[in-house]
Amino acid sequence: MGDYSYLPQQSEEHFAAHNRNDQSFIKLNPLPSCLICFSLEKQSSRQFQDFWNWFLNEHSAKTYTAYTTYYFDQAYFEDDFEERNNSINQLLYSATFEQQPPDFEYLNHQIHIWIAAHQATETPFETEEESYQTAPVFDLLSSKSDSSTQTVTSEPMANDPMQANILAALQGDAQDPIEWLNDFERAVTANQYDDKYKFQIVGGYLQGSSATWFLQETDANAQQRIIRWTPANVGEINTSFTTWFENKFRTPILISK
């Protein structure tokens, strides 16, 4: 499902880029927990406020961003379990904690439970989607430092690849998964995403049987857990997403085409 192992180094590199005003690095390496990139410009939903009060008190959460509030709302108003699961994972990558956070899978499970319990206390009217659900998926902002005052202001990045989905989600059996993977690879390569980031986001673009498969094969208890985008050498073949995705979904019908 996921873990926090890479986040400390990623955070250090990201904020070092802010300090030197390296906009190219920031654009290519967005950090979901960065309040400069994902600033809180809109009021969060009532449901999120209830959630954060619980999360802060029960699990020593420290900060959240616009990325957190967006994916919480996506999870809360989503009926499909796999889609909700993907949104919760994204939410967890964007929160910071006062101390070493609990196990990733444990927190994911606890949030599922909290959402179900909270929804059970609301009326149907209260759980209807509201207008804020139509906001863009991302609202990545660029920080520019004024050398004379050392103050930081934020403005939208022009043509920022993170302001919208790069590709439609894989819809399942009705779509050629290998063609979709090739399109996805072209899109993320054009946006100059590295393999680590491709692997981080691809789960959010899978639906149906492919999403279920991805969750199972990236789970900590999977026999040959998928932990990377593509193999750099022969020894990494059995743990790469692209290898197993093609093996799983390249059916005889597709091969014969």
Side-chain angles (χ1 to χ4, degrees):
M1 181 179 296
D3 59 49
Y4 306 102
S5 59
Y6 71 93
L7 290 179
Q9 180 180 354
Q10 185 186 37
S11 297
E12 182 178 348
E13 294 172 349
H14 182 87
F15 288 112
H18 274 300
N19 288 335
R20 62 178 183 271
N21 199 26
D22 186 346
Q23 297 301 311
S24 296
F25 182 92
I26 294 168
K27 182 177 180 179
L28 295 176
N29 300 274
L31 185 69
S33 60
C34 177
L35 276 164
I36 300 173
C37 296
F38 296 97
S39 59
L40 293 163
E41 297 185 343
K42 298 179 180 179
Q43 183 176 355
S44 57
S45 66
R46 174 181 52 78
Q47 290 88 350
F48 177 81
Q49 293 170 21
D50 290 344
F51 161 76
W52 191 255
N53 287 334
W54 165 78
F55 202 49
L56 183 118
N57 291 320
E58 293 295 324
H59 299 294
S60 301
K62 183 178 180 181
T63 65
Y64 64 89
T65 67
Y67 193 102
T68 321
T69 61
Y70 175 83
Y71 275 103
F72 170 82
D73 289 337
Q74 291 298 294
Y76 194 89
F77 295 106
E78 178 59 63
D79 293 328
D80 181 81
F81 176 84
E82 306 299 350
E83 290 298 312
R84 174 176 291 178
N85 204 64
N86 289 336
S87 293
I88 291 174
N89 286 345
Q90 294 300 318
L91 179 160
L92 287 172
Y93 284 127
S94 67
T96 65
F97 299 83
E98 293 283 359
Q99 55 194 23
Q100 179 67 27
D103 177 79
F104 192 97
E105 286 79 3
Y106 170 78
L107 278 182
N108 177 287
H109 183 62
Q110 291 298 302
I111 294 173
H112 272 289
I113 294 174
W114 185 92
I115 289 176
H118 194 272
Q119 288 179 336
T121 67
E122 294 190 315
T123 66
F125 174 79
E126 290 176 315
T127 55
E128 289 181 357
E129 290 194 45
E130 300 179 26
S131 58
Y132 54 77
Q133 286 295 305
T134 62
V137 175
F138 296 99
D139 185 21
L140 181 60
L141 300 178
S142 165
S143 65
K144 294 188 176 181
S145 176
D146 184 335
S147 58
S148 63
T149 62
Q150 295 302 309
T151 59
V152 176
T153 59
S154 297
E155 59 185 47
M157 282 185 176
N159 301 318
D160 195 320
M162 294 298 290
Q163 290 194 2
N165 287 330
I166 56 175
L167 190 68
L170 174 61
Q171 300 297 323
D173 298 337
Q175 186 176 0
D176 182 339
I178 305 306
E179 181 180 346
W180 177 88
L181 179 61
N182 291 336
D183 290 342
F184 182 88
E185 183 71 72
R186 282 192 290 271
V188 294
T189 299
N191 282 309
Q192 302 181 55
Y193 295 166
D194 62 19
D195 284 355
K196 180 187 293 185
Y197 193 68
K198 292 175 191 176
F199 183 66
Q200 180 180 340
I201 67 172
V202 70
Y205 290 89
L206 303 177
Q207 294 183 5
S209 60
S210 62
T212 301
W213 167 82
F214 182 77
L215 289 170
Q216 292 172 343
E217 297 303 321
T218 55
D219 186 83
N221 296 320
Q223 185 174 2
Q224 288 184 317
R225 184 184 183 190
I226 296 176
I227 59 173
R228 57 177 53 84
W229 176 252
T230 195
N233 53 61
V234 175
E236 295 180 353
I237 289 177
N238 290 334
T239 57
S240 78
F241 172 82
T242 55
T243 300
W244 282 102
F245 184 87
E246 293 185 9
N247 289 343
K248 175 71 176 178
F249 296 103
R250 190 168 179 77
T251 64
I253 294 177
L254 291 176
I255 293 174
S256 65
K257 288 184 178 182

